[in-house]
Amino acid sequence: MEKLKFYIDGAWVDPAAPSTLGIVNPATEEIFAQISLGSPPDVDRAARAARRAFATYSETSVEERLSWLQKIIEGFRARLPELARMMTLEMGAPITFATERQATVALFHFEEAARVLANYKFEERMGNGIIRREPIGVCGLITPWNWPLNQVASKVAPALATGCTVVLKPSEIAPLSAMLFAEIVDAAGVPAGVFNLVNGDGPMVGEAIAAHPEIDMVSFTGSTAAGVRVAKLAANTVKRVAQELGGKSANIILADADLKAAVIQGVHACYTNAGQNCQSPTRMLIPRTKRDAAFEAAREAVDSIRLGDPLDPASTMGPLVSQAQFQKVQDLIQCGIDEGATLVAGGPGRPAETNRGYYVRPTVFGDVTPQMKIAREEIFGPVLSIMSYDSEEEAIEIANDTPFGLAGFVQSRDPDRARTVANRIRAGRVYLNGAPFDRSLPFGGYKQSGNGREFGVFGFEEYLEVKAIIG
């Protein structure tokens, strides 16, 4: 499969300089597609197209933008099985998960953006003036490989809804679903230059987007280290920077919770998307007196996981995305053993039944202490750290003892008690008692987990400037 063109100014065009990259299927370790890697001249061409398009697109009516969004939604629904299968091939998500979650939640961002747009008041009276909200301009969007379409949609949908134009760089590791999405945008008749896609890596294309003088805002999802680099490059042109970065979320299981149910649910939540999930509850905090029961419940949860071919609908966990990610997770599992954590389930190496593919054994460590590397670093694989506490106060202290602040989780039979603890967790989102992920509510982090919010009305307003008209 060759996908060597970029989508710029309403057409599929050749890159400025030929350079190709093979896309690897992580379940087979075989290259199954080729893309082109872009360079700064490609970004320049896309940014200039987006700037030209912004002059007219920013003036379009709500009705016009709703009509384009609706056509994107219809195209997305029609091609949803194809989009899901592409994500399974490019990043290893099991086909059932890719269909029900990866592709479906990406579609939801367009439905949500259309819902917000239909009712949004772009002007309101305040004092003796008018507050007006206007599209911020040309937006550079840099997205990761772990939720390839979800992260694209959570940025592109509000940008297009508000009247902005876009230069998108999907992850070069899993770019193919985004290229199918570009076909959907093209078929929807979105005006030329409003949406542009340039493939490439971070140093060549990502950095060119962050630094480009014609780009007014950059929205980045990825590692904290790369987010810092993006912000530094964006500072020279005083861009708005929105970032959704790393996480090391704590799951506090309070003494009055149903321990077994909470632990089992917590293990599965940690392993969502094979643990390649920025808000995964990777630190499980349990009362010290319940250590043995928690370990037993965690083993039971691990035993129920079906690790296998991601194209098999029965598989519940696939491989990690790449050799590099596989090696990073293996090193951290070994580090947990070396640091003296108790191996409750899993461990280093591939599962016995697999001889190819970047499969990692679902792993649980117990007796993890706050200073261990596995308790501090984002692992981004199916590795859970169980930590013990003696008092509620200590649990909150451990939960907040991290440079990250993306999400938190609290389990208790008493909703008021859970709320009291949730209020004290320094994170952008806290889930109580296994509540499902809500994509209409804001998502984003405190501390080194980022700046700004995505989803719903909060995500929509990230793409708007505020103007006061007085008199």
Side-chain angles (χ1 to χ4, degrees), residues 13-328:
V13 300
D14 291 320
S19 172
T20 60
L21 176 73
I23 305 302
V24 175
N25 177 334
T28 64
E29 302 183 42
E30 289 166 2
I31 290 173
F32 75 101
Q34 296 276 344
I35 62 160
S36 293
L37 291 174
S39 56
D42 299 303
V43 172
D44 188 59
R45 184 178 178 184
R48 290 179 189 284
R51 174 60 62 205
R52 288 192 299 273
F54 181 70
T56 48
Y57 187 70
S58 60
E59 298 292 318
T60 55
S61 68
V62 166
E63 289 68 32
E64 286 174 293
R65 297 200 299 278
L66 278 171
S67 156
W68 285 311
L69 286 175
Q70 201 49 51
K71 290 192 176 88
I72 291 171
I73 288 166
E74 285 161 15
F76 206 115
R77 284 182 185 146
R79 296 183 73 174
L80 196 136
E82 185 186 358
L83 291 165
R85 187 170 190 277
M86 189 61 86
M87 285 187 280
T88 296
L89 295 176
E90 69 186 353
M91 55 75 62
I95 189 67
T96 305
F97 184 81
T99 306
E100 293 175 0
R101 297 280 297 280
Q102 287 273 11
T104 303
V105 298
L107 168 61
F108 180 89
H109 291 303
F110 279 92
E111 295 171 341
E112 180 65 10
R115 185 189 71 80
V116 173
L117 175 60
N119 304 302
Y120 192 78
K121 289 184 169 45
F122 287 90
E123 286 192 8
E124 59 181 327
R125 290 205 67 85
M126 189 176 287
N128 67 341
I130 288 167
I131 299 295
R132 176 175 161 81
R133 287 177 170 83
E134 299 177 344
I136 196 166
V138 178
C139 300
L141 311 178
I142 303 171
T143 60
W145 47 259
N146 61 323
W147 291 83
L149 266 187
N150 174 57
Q151 303 295 61
V152 165
S154 69
K155 299 180 193 304
V156 172
L160 299 188
T162 51
C164 295
T165 58
V166 161
V167 177
L168 169 69
K169 185 198 96 65
S171 167
E172 72 279 15
I173 295 172
L176 300 166
S177 53
M179 296 183 80
L180 288 181
F181 169 72
E183 293 175 10
I184 292 168
V185 175
D186 185 60
V190 173
V194 170
F195 172 86
N196 305 276
L197 181 151
V198 177
N199 278 321
D201 61 17
M204 286 297 278
V205 173
E207 295 197 1
I209 287 172
H212 201 286
E214 288 290 356
I215 291 177
D216 302 293
M217 169 183 174
V218 60
S219 178
F220 171 83
T221 299
S223 71
T224 297
V228 169
R229 178 79 184 136
V230 165
K232 285 179 175 175
L233 289 164
N236 292 328
T237 47
V238 197
K239 289 176 176 41
R240 183 181 300 181
V241 178
Q243 300 168 314
E244 199 264 279
L245 307 175
K248 193 72 184 173
S249 304
N251 179 10
I252 301 178
I253 300 176
L254 293 171
D256 68 342
D258 177 340
L259 181 85
K260 183 177 178 181
V263 169
I264 288 173
Q265 186 179 55
V267 170
H268 290 302
C270 174
Y271 293 166
T272 298
N273 208 32
Q276 300 169 123
N277 204 24
C278 49
Q279 64 158 2
S280 281
T282 52
R283 295 182 298 145
M284 180 182 286
L285 276 52
I286 56 153
R288 196 173 304 279
T289 54
K290 301 194 173 180
R291 170 190 181 275
D292 295 352
F295 289 6
E296 196 178 314
R299 283 189 201 98
E300 188 178 317
V302 169
D303 287 345
S304 71
I305 290 163
R306 286 285 303 273
L307 199 69
D309 177 0
L311 287 170
D312 180 352
S315 296
T316 60
M317 189 185 289
L320 298 190
V321 74
S322 66
Q323 174 65 41
Q325 194 59 27
F326 173 85
Q327 197 52 55
K328 179 195 169 194

Side-chain angles (χ1 to χ4, degrees), residues 331-396:
D331 291 348
L332 281 160
I333 290 172
Q334 189 57 52
C335 180
I337 292 168
D338 295 344
E339 286 184 321
T342 301
L343 189 61
V344 175
R350 276 193 177 89
E353 62 276 14
T354 57
N355 54 10
R356 64 173 187 167
Y358 308 125
Y359 291 92
V360 170
R361 296 166 69 194
T363 297
V364 176
F365 283 107
D367 304 318
V368 176
T369 60
Q371 295 317 310
M372 288 181 182
K373 198 171 182 181
I374 55 169
R376 303 209 69 77
E377 286 197 14
E378 184 174 43
I379 297 173
F380 235 58
V383 182
L384 173 67
S385 294
I386 299 181
M387 310 171 75
S388 300
Y389 66 85
D390 293 307
S391 67
E392 208 166 284
E393 198 60 37
E394 187 191 7
I396 294 165

